[in-house]
Amino acid sequence: MSAALAFDSRTSLYDRVRRVIPPMEWPAFADDVDAILRLKRARNAVILAHNYMTPEIFHCVADITGDSLALAREAQTVRAEIIVVAGVHFMAETAKMLNPGKTVLIPDLQAGCSLASSITAEDVRLLRQRYPGRPVITYVNTSAAVKAESDICCTSGNAKKIVESLGEPEVIMIPDKYLAANVARETGVKIISWEGACEVHERFTARQIRTLRAENPGVVVLAHPECPPDVVDEADFAGSTAAMSEYVQHRQPGRVVLITECSMADNVAVLHPKVDFVRPCNLCPHMKRISLSNIRASLENLQHEVTIDPAIAAGARQAVERMLNV
Ligand code: SF4
């Protein structure tokens, strides 16, 4: 690419994120952005980026963006030979199980999740023994091995719908105790849960929301359903990251606060310059392991490939596909 073209593309890419990245910080990103765009073409690769990725990843190098459900759905339509997942390990596993013939890479193998690490496949088998006959609904924020032990998966965006679709008075929903409690209240279904929590959303408190309202009169509060129920009670609306994004898009509140991971507000703020975003910042240390430089290294060296035992992949795929068919 010529210097002039490179400059032009860098300038227009910077325009996408200038609301949240100061001009003096952009040169630190520009070379990696150029290299990643070049490598994607050379490798026939696409980048899937979760809503919690930082804006220079989300807006400048990603091909497909969204929440866990959107990424799982879109992963099925990918034509490229290589998929780089800018997200955490369970997302890369989901991409691999839906694309067994493709190479799926994650830039940092240590990018985990407090929910995914809270439960094992053996735990699910013990739950089934203890509560026979109850269907097992597993949040997508789990390993493939845990999904493979489950009847159906769910995301924060469709958990209510999935529970209702089963038509059972009592179900097992793992591993997020807060999501389970929030869905139980919404559906009236008795839910047996697990002692897992998202370390980002668990940190928000009802008192913090009341303080935010007092300090920012008129602010609209949107909360993620992984937050504790008393936090959800203080919010004006509770929904997945995709639902929060749609809320801002359609309602255009004057001032809003997103009670979720920090980068999400940055990514939505870029698209809605007329909305004033209040930003309490809880970062996910696992999501933040993914950077432009390790995405670049991932494409340069084809690292780190995500593989799944075929028997586990088949069981997990069935649970994910059941969800996608609801
Ligand atoms: S934000 Fe929470 S649920 Fe998402 S990856 Fe981080 S720890 Fe897991």
Side-chain angles (χ1 to χ4, degrees):
M1 184 188 293
S2 74
L5 271 177
F7 180 76
D8 284 343
S9 79
R10 287 176 186 194
T11 305
S12 63
L13 282 171
Y14 179 60
D15 282 343
R16 298 183 193 177
V17 291
R18 69 169 59 247
R19 194 173 175 214
V20 290
I21 298 180
M24 63 190 300
E25 286 182 21
W26 179 247
F29 299 133
D31 280 347
D32 281 337
V33 168
D34 278 352
I36 290 167
L37 297 180
R38 187 170 30 78
L39 282 160
K40 278 200 302 180
R41 285 192 295 273
R43 298 282 199 198
N44 188 17
V46 293
I47 297 177
L48 269 55
H50 188 264
N51 289 331
Y52 296 163
M53 288 295 107
T54 46
E56 71 280 4
I57 295 173
F58 190 87
H59 289 289
C60 299
V61 301
D63 300 283
I64 295 169
T65 57
D67 62 4
S68 304
L69 178 60
L71 294 185
R73 277 204 181 116
E74 295 293 329
Q76 292 181 298
T77 66
V78 166
R79 295 235 173 104
E81 289 164 35
I82 294 173
I83 300 172
V84 179
V85 176
V88 294
H89 194 266
F90 74 80
M91 296 173 180
E93 279 194 332
T94 305
K96 179 65 184 177
M97 75 183 68
L98 295 174
N99 292 275
K102 297 186 196 300
T103 301
V104 174
L105 305 174
I106 186 161
D108 185 331
L109 275 172
Q110 301 302 314
C113 168
S114 63
L115 279 169
S117 62
S118 73
I119 191 161
T120 65
E122 177 62 15
D123 293 328
V124 186
R125 288 192 287 271
L126 289 172
L127 274 170
R128 280 199 190 276
Q129 276 174 23
R130 191 159 170 194
Y131 302 102
R134 276 61 152 208
V136 176
I137 305 168
T138 294
Y139 196 26
V140 286
N141 298 31
T142 47
S143 67
V146 166
K147 289 186 180 80
E149 295 292 334
S150 314
D151 295 299
I152 188 166
C153 284
C154 75
T155 68
S156 58
N158 65 16
K160 176 173 180 274
K161 193 167 151 191
I162 297 290
V163 168
E164 288 173 342
S165 77
L166 297 177
E168 296 280 345
E170 191 170 4
V171 301
I172 298 170
M173 179 186 259
I174 49 172
D176 187 339
K177 61 181 173 183
Y178 297 128
L179 180 68
N182 287 321
V183 173
R185 296 192 310 174
E186 276 187 274
T187 58
V189 172
K190 185 167 180 217
I191 296 186
I192 300 154
S193 187
W194 187 252
E195 197 51 35
C198 162
E199 66 189 79
V200 175
H201 294 100
E202 188 178 39
R203 289 208 301 272
F204 291 105
T205 65
R207 190 172 170 195
Q208 189 182 4
I209 309 301
R210 289 193 290 273
T211 305
L212 277 167
R213 283 197 194 278
E215 291 173 350
N216 301 278
V219 71
V220 174
V221 179
L222 313 183
H224 194 281
E226 287 170 13
C227 293
D230 61 336
V231 171
V232 169
D233 285 343
E234 294 286 340
D236 298 296
F237 172 82
S240 66
T241 53
M244 285 193 243
S245 196
E246 277 164 29
Y247 186 105
V248 175
Q249 163 123 12
H250 294 125
R251 308 256 189 124
Q252 292 286 304
R255 184 179 268 189
V256 71
V257 58
L258 308 186
I259 303 301
T260 186
E261 210 269 353
C262 195
S263 293
M264 168 81 189
D266 284 343
N267 289 328
V268 180
V270 161
L271 302 173
H272 303 287
K274 291 189 183 147
V275 178
D276 179 19
F277 284 78
V278 178
R279 297 182 198 177
C281 200
N282 282 4
L283 286 170
C284 172
H286 312 289
M287 291 279 184
K288 265 47 210 184
R289 282 182 171 274
I290 309 299
S291 64
L292 283 179
S293 63
N294 61 21
I295 292 173
R296 180 178 180 170
S298 179
L299 282 163
E300 277 170 350
N301 307 318
L302 297 183
Q303 66 192 26
H304 303 276
E305 186 168 0
V306 175
T307 56
I308 313 174
D309 175 285
I312 289 176
R317 191 180 311 123
Q318 204 172 40
V320 171
E321 283 174 350
R322 279 197 193 120
M323 168 187 81
L324 294 174
N325 289 334
V326 169

